[in-house]
Amino acid sequence: MLLIFVSALIPRAHSEGDQSALQFGQTIGDYIQLKDGIMDSSTSQFSVCTWVKNRFDAEKSIVLDYCPGNVPSDIILGSNGKFNWVVGSNLNLEDEYNVPNGEWFHLCWTWTTSTYITTVYLNGDVIGSGATNERELKTGWRMSLGSNAEETKTSRCIFGGDMFKLNIYSRVLSSSEIQRMSSNMCSVEEELLTTIKILSWRDVISSGKTGSVTEITSGCTDIGTLADTMMRSQNNEQDLAETKTFLNTLNNSLTTTRDELNRTMKQALAATKTNLEKRLDILGTDHKESDSNLNT
């Protein structure tokens, strides 16, 4: 029963590739070029979340770039705090980044046209937010991971680090969702948000890689994922137990109400019967008196 419950909780089974990280080489030819128009279905809001590990002091350390190829980008997200660029406005948070090279950390960026504010999370905590230009994202543009998206690559944009679980979501994630996601590299929080992904880590892993971009172990396994899922299943089992208790209480209450209604109905019927019998006695007496008067 428990295995069936766990299987039902996860939208799909993990494949081995989903648990792999990617290591980018440190030349201008090492990047991933994704298909055009990825953001077309979500031009008014998004969240981008990923685990990264910087391996050297890159100048811009571009994780993701979304641009048409010859004009300024709509999105440039970096892993050293210098670039948190959305719709023509940059939020430099370099002083807030205190993670040394060679250590995994979690980044999230959110943005929405309801406020035109971009917010940056580092390891689950907000480290900065700022206003952007007031327009939606352009559509049909190209997206690159690990370098700038223009056809002409530049050494200033090299990422050259490790990346894991980069996903793009079609809405602004809540702070609690981001905190749960950042609490454990092997969390299944991303899987619980599968229905709102416009780019998944599985998409990234299966995309064409240019130069030296290789799959490496992330340290996560299906065992780790199952352990996290088991913890969630325990919480769900508690919820189910509470629901069962509530339904039992409700059933007992309904049974009591039914019994009370039955007693009330019986009492009402008995009283009605008594009243009818009295009426019949009265009618019988009146009838006898009428017959007696007629005979007289």
Side-chain angles (χ1 to χ4, degrees), residues 19-255:
Q19 299 303 309
S20 296
L22 291 177
Q23 185 168 91
F24 290 73
Q26 298 177 2
T27 75
I28 61 174
D30 306 322
Y31 60 93
I32 294 176
Q33 188 71 49
L34 300 171
K35 65 181 181 180
D36 293 351
I38 285 177
M39 301 304 296
D40 287 4
S41 63
S42 188
T43 59
S44 62
Q45 59 179 330
F46 68 82
S47 296
V48 177
C49 295
T50 185
W51 288 89
V52 295
K53 180 196 294 185
N54 292 326
R55 293 191 291 120
F56 76 112
D57 294 324
E59 183 175 348
K60 292 185 177 180
S61 195
I62 301 302
V63 171
L64 180 152
D65 185 17
Y66 176 67
C67 82
N70 56 0
V71 298
S73 301
D74 261 6
I75 306 173
I76 307 175
L77 308 176
S79 65
N80 60 10
K82 292 181 180 179
F83 272 88
N84 303 283
W85 174 286
V86 181
V87 192
S89 300
N90 189 50
L91 185 62
N92 191 325
L93 298 172
E94 186 177 6
D95 293 340
E96 305 300 324
Y97 278 57
N98 54 5
V99 182
N101 291 343
E103 182 176 316
W104 282 107
F105 61 100
H106 190 259
L107 286 172
C108 270
W109 297 265
T110 67
W111 175 79
T112 173
T113 55
S114 65
T115 59
Y116 294 104
I117 296 291
T118 183
T119 302
V120 184
Y121 293 77
L122 173 64
N123 290 331
D125 296 323
V126 175
I127 60 171
S129 59
T132 69
N133 290 335
E134 296 186 2
R135 65 169 176 82
E136 293 191 351
L137 297 173
K138 300 294 186 181
T139 59
W141 288 7
R142 66 178 63 183
M143 181 178 290
S144 290
L145 305 180
S147 184
N148 57 301
E150 292 91 343
E151 293 183 4
T152 302
K153 308 299 180 184
T154 64
S155 59
R156 299 171 59 210
C157 296
I158 294 172
F159 167 56
D162 299 346
M163 185 185 300
F164 182 50
K165 284 187 175 180
L166 186 142
N167 295 282
I168 303 179
Y169 305 93
S170 60
R171 65 166 170 81
V172 172
L173 299 183
S174 68
S175 58
S176 58
E177 288 172 326
I178 293 173
Q179 286 167 1
R180 288 195 297 270
M181 194 181 295
S182 66
S183 65
N184 182 358
M185 273 185 67
C186 304
S187 165
V188 296
E189 185 66 28
E190 295 88 351
E191 298 307 313
L192 301 177
L193 298 170
T194 294
T195 57
I196 61 168
K197 289 179 183 177
I198 56 178
L199 177 72
S200 70
W201 182 239
R202 170 177 279 191
D203 297 330
V204 174
I205 288 288
S206 61
S207 296
K209 304 168 184 67
T210 300
S212 178
V213 181
T214 56
E215 291 190 30
I216 60 173
T217 179
S218 65
C220 293
T221 64
D222 287 338
I223 294 176
T225 300
L226 181 59
D228 186 79
T229 304
M230 293 284 284
M231 291 179 65
R232 291 183 177 276
S233 73
Q234 291 175 2
N235 293 333
N236 280 274
E237 286 173 355
Q238 182 178 352
D239 291 341
L240 287 172
E242 292 175 354
T243 301
K244 183 178 179 181
T245 300
F246 169 76
L247 290 175
N248 285 336
T249 302
L250 180 61
N251 182 60
N252 292 335
S253 177
L254 289 173
T255 301

